[in-house]
Each structure stands twice: as structure tokens, then as C-alpha cells.
Amino acid sequence: MMTDRKSLYLMSPALAWLTGLMVIPCLLILALAFFRRGIYGGIEYTFTLENIWLVFDPLYAGIFLKSAWIAGLSAGIAVVVGYAAAYAIAAAPARRQPILLFFAVLPFWSNYLVRTYAWIVLLNREGLIASLVQTFGYEGELPKMLYTESAVVIGLVYNYLPFVILACYAPLSRLNPEITEASRDLGGSGWTTFRRVTLPMTVPGIATGFVFVFVLSIGNFVTPALLGGGQFQMIGNLVYAQFLTANDWPFGAALSMFLIAIMMGLLTLQTFATERASGARGEGS
């Protein structure tokens, strides 16, 4: 009993922070979604479900699907690249791993906007990439790189890749080398050992990295605005426009709640995958 009370006291600052800065604002946004927009903007406190039904309108459902596609593609690429980088860092000599991790998270030391603007410099028709290609003798017209869906995916992968590297490095660095050695002693090739031993035991890190990138990407509005050039909308841009341009806070709140529901569903799946992988490891040991 004393231990439970002591734990509650120690957790109280974190619980107060979560309640004041996350739970209460989310409840306010949820309540806002069930009111009408005023004639001249603002809020008319009349209960309605119109905002909820409007989220499922084909126009906005298409934006949700487009956002999910870009976020999923970015998360998938980030997991492949980040896992390979984390594997290489974990396989390096122990004294070099902190230095390699330092370089992996080095982009976080600069501002997000600066990192995104750097890609504008690299991808525009007179940028560094175009100059390098022309230096090597290419004289044709280069394909458009900036203000495309590919540019947005590149920007999202670049900005969130360190999350995946850190998430995958943790389980890879804790992997007992005797397990992989036992697999090879039993005749397993390097690929078989990776596929049937290393990869299943690092699923929690992969799931965490994927969810991190997906959740951060699907609600992002800075990268689509700068690297997409307003050519297409993602759900983050739509929510931003409802609150700051259209002055339709109730519909913006309904979109936000639907976005939060997607994120909560993904976090639940990630927790389920982590617990299942931990259970498998426990049974295996």
C-alpha cells in the first residue's frame, strides 16, 4: 500500500502535466466539434453532428487517404533506411557507436524550418543537385524535383529518420550475440539468422519507429507547404486552414479529433506488437 501511494506521489507531476496540457485540451476540441460555425465565423453553441458527417465527405476522405499514403510511404522508407543505419551502428566497435549515434541525430540540432528550406536549395532547378548533374555533362531538361509529392516524402523521411535510427538501435544493441552465434552453429546462413532471429527480436523497435514517423508525418503541414508548393493538401494543411483561414473552428476540431483517433489506433497497434514480441521472447527464453 505504501509503495502504491509513493508511486502515485512521484507520478503526480506527470499526471498533472498530461491532464492539463493534453487531456483537457483534447476534451475541449472534442466538445467544439459538436457545435456550429457562426455566420461571421466564431462558434454558435448549438449541438450538431454536421461536422462529424462532413469529415466523411468524399473530398475530405480523399485528403485523409492521400495523407495516409504519403505518411505510410515516408514511414516505410524511413524504417528501411533507419534500420540499416541502426544495424550498422550496432555492429560497429563499441567505442565508435556513440560517435556514429551523434552524427545520426546531428540534424536535430538545427531548426526544422532550416532543414526543410535546405531541401528547397537542393531540389530547385538551379540547385546543388541540378548543378552537379550539369557539371558531369548532362545538357537535357531535368525532371521537376521541387514542389512534387516525391519532394514532400524526401523531406519527411529526412526530418524524421533519426527517430527510426534511435528506436531500432535500442533493441539491436541489446541483442545477445550468443543467440545469433547459436543460429549459425546450427547451420543457419547469415540471411536466415537475420530473417528468423534478429528481425523478429527487433520488431518492437521497427514498430515504434514506423509509428513515430507515420504519426508525425500525417499531421505535418510545414513540409507539404514548403516542398509541395501548395500543389496538394494534406490533412495537417486542411486543419491549419480551418482554424486560421476559413475561421471554421468546429469543423477544424472534427478533423483534429478524427486525426487523433487514427493516431491512438496506431499507438494501440504498436503497443500490441511490442507486447506480442516481448511475450515471444519470454517463451523463447
Side-chain angles (χ1 to χ4, degrees), residues 62-74:
I63 295 176
F64 266 108
L65 292 175
K66 185 71 174 180
S67 303
W69 160 250
I70 292 176
L73 182 61
S74 303

Side-chain angles (χ1 to χ4, degrees), residues 19-217:
T19 303
L21 299 180
M22 293 192 67
V23 176
I24 293 177
C26 284
L27 290 176
L28 291 175
I29 291 292
L30 176 63
L32 199 62
F34 293 98
F35 294 124
R36 294 179 185 276
R37 176 183 182 271
I39 298 176
Y40 303 104
I43 305 164
E44 182 181 319
Y45 292 98
T46 305
F47 180 82
T48 180
L49 292 176
E50 290 179 0
N51 299 311
I52 306 299
W53 299 127
L54 192 57
V55 172
F56 298 97
D57 183 272
L59 173 64
Y60 302 116
I63 295 176
F64 266 108
L65 292 175
K66 185 71 174 180
S67 303
W69 160 250
I70 292 176
L73 182 61
S74 303
I77 295 173
V79 164
V80 173
V81 177
Y83 189 90
Y87 190 92
I89 294 173
R95 67 179 187 282
R96 294 181 182 173
Q97 292 182 16
I99 300 173
L100 294 174
L101 280 175
F102 167 77
F103 283 109
V105 301
L106 189 60
F108 277 164
W109 290 27
S110 60
N111 184 274
Y112 186 95
L113 283 175
V114 173
R115 300 200 303 269
T116 306
Y117 270 113
W119 278 104
I120 295 178
V121 175
L122 290 171
L123 296 177
N124 70 60
R125 289 188 182 278
E126 298 178 355
L128 182 61
I129 294 176
S131 300
L132 283 175
V133 172
Q134 290 168 354
T135 301
F136 286 103
Y138 183 80
E139 297 179 351
E141 184 176 355
L142 292 172
K144 184 179 181 181
M145 295 181 288
L146 190 60
Y147 303 142
T148 62
E149 182 179 311
S150 300
V152 175
V153 172
I154 290 172
L156 292 173
V157 170
Y158 171 74
N159 280 309
Y160 297 137
L161 186 61
F163 284 117
V164 182
I165 294 176
L166 293 176
C168 293
Y169 171 77
L172 282 168
S173 62
R174 290 198 303 265
L175 200 61
N176 189 346
E178 293 180 355
I179 298 176
T180 56
E181 290 175 7
S183 173
R184 294 184 179 181
D185 290 343
L186 293 172
S189 63
W191 169 246
T192 301
T193 300
F194 173 77
R195 183 169 56 86
R196 304 190 64 174
V197 178
T198 304
L199 193 60
M201 297 187 74
T202 53
V203 164
I206 296 172
T208 301
F210 183 90
V211 171
F212 262 140
V213 179
F214 186 92
V215 168
L216 293 172
S217 297

